[in-house]
């Protein structure tokens, strides 16, 4: 017999309406208190809602001790009803139905279901003390209903309160929360006694301070994948370029000729942009030539670094730091590209290591503009991310983000500013990619199996603005080079010049002397190459093997693997220059028809693209292998990989890095003569030649005085004439020629004149020439 029945067992008229009304109000009270006890005001309103109804008053009394309408004996009934509620709390259907305040029929049915559930629980587990007590409570509850209508009504109120607590999402009936509610209702709270169960409650979650929240945010950033990738790239760059940073103020990697030139380039761009930006292209070298800063690739993108420090030592230190950072950026950029395309972490690391530390790049250690290639894969990764595209998953419009598109175009423009030797093929690749993507989009959208593929106005604007910015930077940088080409026709390369530097097919399997692993073993193969510094193009045998495996076992789709393979073949053919059937249908058309392509001196540097594509094929294979390893150890019990399985996933990365170990020499840079710090320009330093003039350019970074000397990809006729006329210096002809040119001082270095005509004339008298002679250290200074 339920608590909604009278002692005689017949339902009381109007009980359904009262119960529905009371249940709805009790639900609100239950939500306010997860232990089943309602707040005083809510209970008072419930008790006063129906003064004629003893049942409603009993319910209110059970919900809030001391509220109007609570009758003697309600406490006992409440305790009994609480025990009953614990028994039936396992069935949340009845409790929720009552707590939601639905119709009387629903509430009554829920109570009956709850009572039946309680009896079933008692029968199901006779050893459960709670269920046994619940059965006793049911009996007491029945007695209370037979002897005291108010007690029965109080029991109903107890059920209603328990159901409301369950509906509010608390621990619900059947827990110690009902006991706590019974205690608070039998008058202990009135007397001010604390809840003895409160000590066992869980401590509240502390609210972190602003500083704590900031510390947590920083911690999350420090363990983020990209933070770890950047730190790992930097650490590997320091280790794999060692000993570059051992004596960074005094040594340069590979040799001190081209690195001296490039150290001067960074120093000049930083200095002139701070002092007189309008004269950027009118450098202090090759006096009196104009546009002399454009005689070779400029590394203009490193100008911010050139603003820090002055003098040759600072320039050497700056070069070595940027040399290491260039390797780190190359690995990070290739890693980011592989990850964006869909490769796993280890596979992406293999792609990054193969791209940054390929053995053939060791021969380019003296060419910072070639090593500085990390902006290429990084820009491609950003553009792909901004367009929501990956090789593995295709186009996903929901992942579009115009901010990444802007960033990608900006990085691409920065890469172009480092030099056209690497940047020009990149610019044409971007142009071709945009064209192919636009045509493909149009065909898929309107012609071939039309399907709605959202693109968005914001993304279109980002591409237009970013593309125009990239093109604008390229156009502005190209103007000085066109000026130089017009003033110095000999600077242009012919197809015959390209043939001198075109590598044969054997070069793709030959390592440079700077390779610690293969250098000595390939000495005979290098001797067979016409110009081995630019023809040893081995990307790594491990990379070859992994890429070959990626053709058959990979996370990439078959058509994507075939496209990557086609890219490898095409870039290899182009890197051979005129060696592949004289380049008639490959390199020569590009040389003849693409603007600026005839300025690329060494086609072998296109191996950069071959290496990147091989790295992506290898990343697909390694990612598939790592996925298979995870599947294998997931089937183990327990699902934990053995150490051998873990090492197996790292083995490809270790092998690729091992092939990148270097034996690069790091010669000491010639010391700056004291005269270079005191003598003003315009001046000429003798002897003068392509190799000797590059350290002179570095020495000029103390005062940036005008110097006639200079070294670049070509020699201007004016400098050629100066070198020829001054072989007899000091004589009247050379003195008069230099005066007309505007030269005021000549520095003759004693430690470089052995075997030259100056070895005889250095101590000759200068009487009658109208010049003075002074010795500053090992340098003889002639003032004209």
């Amino acid at each position: 017999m339920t608590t909604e029945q009278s002692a005689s067992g017949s339902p009381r008229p109007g009980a359904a309406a009262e119960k529905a009304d009371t249940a709805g109000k009790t639900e609100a009270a239950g939500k306010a208190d997860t232990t089943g006890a309602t707040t005083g005001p809510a209970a008072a309103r419930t008790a006063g809602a129906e003064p004629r109804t003893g049942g409603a008053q009993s319910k209110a009394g059970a919900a809030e001790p001391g509220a109007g309408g609570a009758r003697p004996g309600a406490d006992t009934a409440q305790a009994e009803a609480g025990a009953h509620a614990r028994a039936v709390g396992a069935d949340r259907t009845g409790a929720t139905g009552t707590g939601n305040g639905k119709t009387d029929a629903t509430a009554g049915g829920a109570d009956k279901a709850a009572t039946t559930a309680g009896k079933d629980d008692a029968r199901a587990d006779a050893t459960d003390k709670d269920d046994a007590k619940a059965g006793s409570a049911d009996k007491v509850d029945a007695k209370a209903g037979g002897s005291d209508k108010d007690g029965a009504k109080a029991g109903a109120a107890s059920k209603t309160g328990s159901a409301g607590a369950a509906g509010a999402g608390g621990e619900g009936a059947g827990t110690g929360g009902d006991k706590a509610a019974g205690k608070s209702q039998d008058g202990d709270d009135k007397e001010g006694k604390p809840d003895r169960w409160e000590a066992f409650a869980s401590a509240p979650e502390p609210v972190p301070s602003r500083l704590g929240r900031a510390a947590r945010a920083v911690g999350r950033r420090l363990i983020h994948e990209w933070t770890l990738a950047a730190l790992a790239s930097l650490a590997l760059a320091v280790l794999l370029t060692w000993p570059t940073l051992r004596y960074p103020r005094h040594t340069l990697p590979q040799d001190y000729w081209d690195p001296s030139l490039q150290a001067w380039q960074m120093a000049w761009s930083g200095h002139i942009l701070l002092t007189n930006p309008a004269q950027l292209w009118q450098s202090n070298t090759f006096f009196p030539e104009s546009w002399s800063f454009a005689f070779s690739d400029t590394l203009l993108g490193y100008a911010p670094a050139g603003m820090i420090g002055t003098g040759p030592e600072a320039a050497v230190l700056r070069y070595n730091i940027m040399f290491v950072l260039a390797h780190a950026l190359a690995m990070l950029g290739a890693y980011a590209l592989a990850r964006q395309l869909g490769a796993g972490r280890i596979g992406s690391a293999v792609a990054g290591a193969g791209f940054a530390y390929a053995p053939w790049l060791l021969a380019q250690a003296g060419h910072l503009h070639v090593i500085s290639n990390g902006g290429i894969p990084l820009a491609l990764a950003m553009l792909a991310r901004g367009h929501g595209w990956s090789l593995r998953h295709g186009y996903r419009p929901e992942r579009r983000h115009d901010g990444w598109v802007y960033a990608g175009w900006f990085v691409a423009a920065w890469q172009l500013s480092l030099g056209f030797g690497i940047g020009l093929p990149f610019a044409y690749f971007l142009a071709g990619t945009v064209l192919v993507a636009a045509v493909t989009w149009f065909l898929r959208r309107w012609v071939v199996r039309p399907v709605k593929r959202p693109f968005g106005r914001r993304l279109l604007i980002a591409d237009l603005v970013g593309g125009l910015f990239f093109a604008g930077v390229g156009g502005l940088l190209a103007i000085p080079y066109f000026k130089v080409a017009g003033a110095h026709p000999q600077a242009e390369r012919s197809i015959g010049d390209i043939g001198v530097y075109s590598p044969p097919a054997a070069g793709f399997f030959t390592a440079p002397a700077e390779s610690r692993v293969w250098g000595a073993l390939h000495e005979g193969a290098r001797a067979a190459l016409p110009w081995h510094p630019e023809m040893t193009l081995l990307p790594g045998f491990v990379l070859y093997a992994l890429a070959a495996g990626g053709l058959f076992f990979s996370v990439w789709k078959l058509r994507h693997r075939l496209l990557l393979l086609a890219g490898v073949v095409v870039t290899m053919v182009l890197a051979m220059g005129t060696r592949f059937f004289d380049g008639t249908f490959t390199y020569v058309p590009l040389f003849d028809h693409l603007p600026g392509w005839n300025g690329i001196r060494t086609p072998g540097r296109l191996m950069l693209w071959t290496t990147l594509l091989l790295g992506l094929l290898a990343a697909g294979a390694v990612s598939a292998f790592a996925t298979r390893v995870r599947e294998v150890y997931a089937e183990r019990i327990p699902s934990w990989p053995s150490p051998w399985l873990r090492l197996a996933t790292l083995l490809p990365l270790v092998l690729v890095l091992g092939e990148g170990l270097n034996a690069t020499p790091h010669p000491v840079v010639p010391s700056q003569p004291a005269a270079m710090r005191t003598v003003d320009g315009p001046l000429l330093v003798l002897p003068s030649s392509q190799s000797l003039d590059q350290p002179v350019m570095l020495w000029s970074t103390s005062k940036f005085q005008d110097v006639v000397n200079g070294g670049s990809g070509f020699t201007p006729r004016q400098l050629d004439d100066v070198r020829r006329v001054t072989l007899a210096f000091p004589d009247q002809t050379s003195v008069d020629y230099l005066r007309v040119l505007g030269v005021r001082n000549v520095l003759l270095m004693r430690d470089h004149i052995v075997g030259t005509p100056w070895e005889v004339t250095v101590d000759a008298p200068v009487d009658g020439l109208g010049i003075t002679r002074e010795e500053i250290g090992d340098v003889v200074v002639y003032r004209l």
Side-chain angles (χ1 to χ4, degrees):
M1 184 172 69
T2 66
T3 55
E4 282 299 314
Q5 293 176 315
S6 64
S8 61
S10 60
R12 184 175 52 82
E18 293 172 359
K19 181 161 185 174
D21 180 65
T22 306
K25 297 178 180 178
T26 307
E27 179 193 5
K31 291 181 179 178
D33 190 334
T34 58
T35 62
T38 61
T39 59
R45 288 194 297 271
T46 306
E50 193 61 50
R52 295 180 295 100
T53 308
Q57 293 171 353
S58 297
K59 296 170 186 175
E64 177 67 19
R71 301 179 61 180
D75 293 340
T76 303
Q78 170 66 17
E80 295 167 349
H84 179 72
R86 287 193 298 274
V88 303
D91 188 350
R92 295 177 178 267
T93 305
T96 305
T98 307
N100 288 336
K102 295 183 178 179
T103 62
D104 178 58
T106 305
D111 290 339
K112 292 178 180 180
T115 304
T116 304
K119 294 178 180 180
D120 291 340
D121 289 342
R123 288 193 298 270
D125 189 2
T127 62
D128 191 328
K129 293 181 180 181
D130 288 339
D131 287 343
K133 291 178 182 179
S136 300
D138 287 339
K139 295 178 181 179
V140 175
D141 186 29
K143 292 178 182 180
S147 60
D148 189 348
K149 295 181 179 180
D150 296 327
K153 294 169 184 175
S158 177
K159 289 186 177 181
T160 305
S162 299
E171 293 291 321
T175 66
D178 289 310
K179 295 181 180 181
K183 176 178 174 62
S184 65
Q185 290 167 355
D186 72 32
D188 284 348
D189 287 344
K190 286 184 182 181
E191 299 174 4
K193 295 181 181 179
D195 185 0
R196 63 175 177 270
W197 301 105
E198 186 177 356
F200 296 95
S202 58
E205 185 72 19
V207 179
S209 63
R210 181 176 298 179
L211 182 61
R213 292 194 299 270
R216 289 184 182 181
V218 172
R220 287 192 297 269
R221 293 290 186 273
L222 289 177
I223 62 174
H224 194 276
E225 175 187 353
W226 296 110
T227 303
L228 296 177
L231 293 176
S233 299
L234 187 59
L236 286 173
V238 173
L239 292 174
L240 293 176
T241 61
W242 191 262
T244 298
L245 294 183
R246 186 177 184 180
Y247 304 110
R249 295 165 62 92
H250 306 288
T251 63
L252 286 170
Q254 197 174 52
D255 56 56
Y256 56 77
W257 297 308
D258 282 353
S260 293
L261 162 65
Q262 292 167 338
W264 165 82
Q265 288 173 329
M266 286 188 283
W268 168 257
S269 60
H271 161 76
I272 200 64
L273 289 177
L274 286 176
T275 57
N276 190 3
Q279 296 297 311
L280 171 64
W281 300 101
Q282 317 302 328
S283 76
N284 69 311
T285 60
F286 294 99
F287 178 84
E289 298 285 354
S290 57
W291 305 101
S292 55
F293 194 47
F295 284 1
S296 57
D297 282 339
T298 63
L299 294 174
L300 187 59
Y302 290 151
M307 298 177 182
I308 304 173
T310 58
E313 285 192 359
V316 172
L317 174 63
R318 184 185 305 116
Y319 180 94
N320 285 320
I321 291 175
M322 300 312 296
F323 180 80
V324 173
L325 292 180
H327 282 84
L329 182 62
M331 181 168 183
L332 182 62
Y335 176 89
L337 178 59
R339 283 291 282 158
Q340 173 59 33
L341 294 181
R345 290 183 177 88
I346 298 178
S348 300
V350 169
F355 182 73
Y357 302 105
W360 75 273
L361 284 170
L362 295 173
Q364 305 293 329
H367 301 138
L368 184 58
H369 61 294
V370 179
I371 299 297
S372 300
N373 52 51
I376 293 175
L378 184 60
L380 295 176
M382 288 178 169
L383 290 171
R385 185 184 181 102
H387 289 84
W389 186 84
S390 71
L391 194 64
R392 192 172 180 181
H393 306 290
Y395 177 59
R396 292 179 287 182
E398 68 278 4
R399 292 177 177 259
R400 293 170 297 168
H401 196 293
D402 57 310
W404 284 110
V405 176
Y406 286 113
W409 285 112
F410 177 82
V411 172
W414 173 79
Q415 175 67 52
L416 190 62
S417 71
L418 295 177
F420 282 109
I422 297 299
L424 189 66
F426 177 47
Y428 280 116
F429 175 81
L430 277 180
T433 301
V434 170
L435 180 61
V436 171
V439 171
T440 303
W441 179 274
F442 176 80
L443 294 177
R444 290 291 304 274
R445 181 68 178 87
W446 302 104
V447 181
V448 182
R449 292 182 297 176
V451 59
K452 187 175 182 181
R453 297 168 62 84
F455 192 80
R457 183 174 59 182
R458 292 181 59 180
L459 203 59
L460 179 62
I461 293 175
D463 278 323
L464 290 175
V465 173
L468 289 174
F469 176 74
F470 176 79
V473 170
L476 290 175
L477 292 175
I479 292 175
Y481 289 93
F482 284 120
K483 296 280 188 181
V484 170
H488 305 275
Q490 75 275 17
E492 293 186 9
R493 273 87 178 182
S494 65
I495 198 66
D497 297 329
I498 301 302
V500 173
Y501 296 101
S502 296
F508 297 121
F509 302 95
T510 306
E514 291 82 1
S515 173
R516 185 173 294 277
V517 176
W518 305 113
L521 296 174
H522 290 185
E523 184 176 359
R526 285 194 302 274
L529 299 175
W531 180 247
H532 68 83
E534 296 289 352
M535 295 181 181
T536 50
L537 301 177
L538 175 68
F541 290 112
V542 175
L543 196 64
Y544 274 141
L546 293 174
L551 294 174
F552 305 97
F553 180 67
S554 177
V555 296
W556 312 131
K557 297 177 181 178
L558 178 60
R559 67 175 184 272
H560 295 149
R561 290 178 245 167
L562 295 177
L563 285 174
L564 290 173
L565 176 62
V568 169
V569 173
V570 169
T571 53
M572 277 187 164
V573 167
L574 291 178
M576 292 177 68
T578 60
R579 291 278 183 166
F580 187 82
F581 297 103
D582 296 328
T584 305
F585 303 104
T586 56
Y587 198 89
V588 172
L590 301 179
F591 184 89
D592 290 337
H593 302 293
L594 284 185
W597 200 272
N598 55 4
I600 298 178
R601 179 171 61 97
T602 52
R605 292 174 184 174
L606 292 172
M607 191 65 187
L608 188 72
W609 293 91
T610 307
T611 308
L612 182 59
L613 295 173
L614 288 171
L616 293 178
L617 276 172
V622 175
S623 299
F625 174 65
T627 301
R628 181 55 186 155
V629 168
R630 285 195 298 270
E631 292 173 353
V632 169
Y633 69 68
E635 298 170 357
R636 295 164 56 93
I637 300 177
S639 60
W640 189 257
S642 68
W644 296 111
L645 284 176
R646 295 183 190 178
L647 291 176
T649 59
L650 295 176
L651 184 61
L653 176 61
V654 173
L655 293 176
V656 169
L657 290 174
E659 275 198 295
L661 295 176
N662 78 86
T664 305
H666 287 73
V668 177
V669 180
S671 299
Q672 179 193 36
M676 290 294 297
R677 296 192 294 270
T678 58
V679 178
D680 294 328
L683 59 83
L684 168 66
V685 179
L686 295 175
S688 174
S689 66
Q690 171 73 12
S691 58
L692 292 176
D693 281 2
Q694 289 170 331
V696 173
M697 300 171 77
L698 176 63
W699 296 338
S700 72
T701 56
S702 291
K703 297 185 66 174
F704 288 104
Q705 66 268 57
D706 290 333
V707 295
V708 178
N709 306 73
S712 70
F714 76 100
T715 302
R717 286 198 177 96
Q718 181 74 65
L719 181 57
D720 235 359
D721 292 342
V722 169
R723 290 171 179 171
R724 178 176 49 81
V725 171
T726 56
L727 286 174
F729 184 86
D731 66 338
Q732 193 64 53
T733 302
S734 60
V735 169
D736 292 342
Y737 178 80
L738 292 175
R739 281 174 174 166
V740 171
L741 201 62
V743 177
R744 294 293 175 260
N745 297 292
V746 176
L747 278 60
L748 185 60
M749 296 187 294
R750 285 184 177 272
D751 54 351
H752 286 83
I753 61 176
V754 176
T756 68
W758 299 289
E759 187 177 10
V760 177
T761 61
V762 64
D763 294 319
V766 294
D767 299 339
L769 297 177
I771 62 176
T772 61
R773 183 176 177 276
E774 176 188 4
E775 296 209 19
I776 302 177
D778 290 335
V779 176
V780 181
V781 179
Y782 298 89
R783 303 186 186 277
L784 308 185

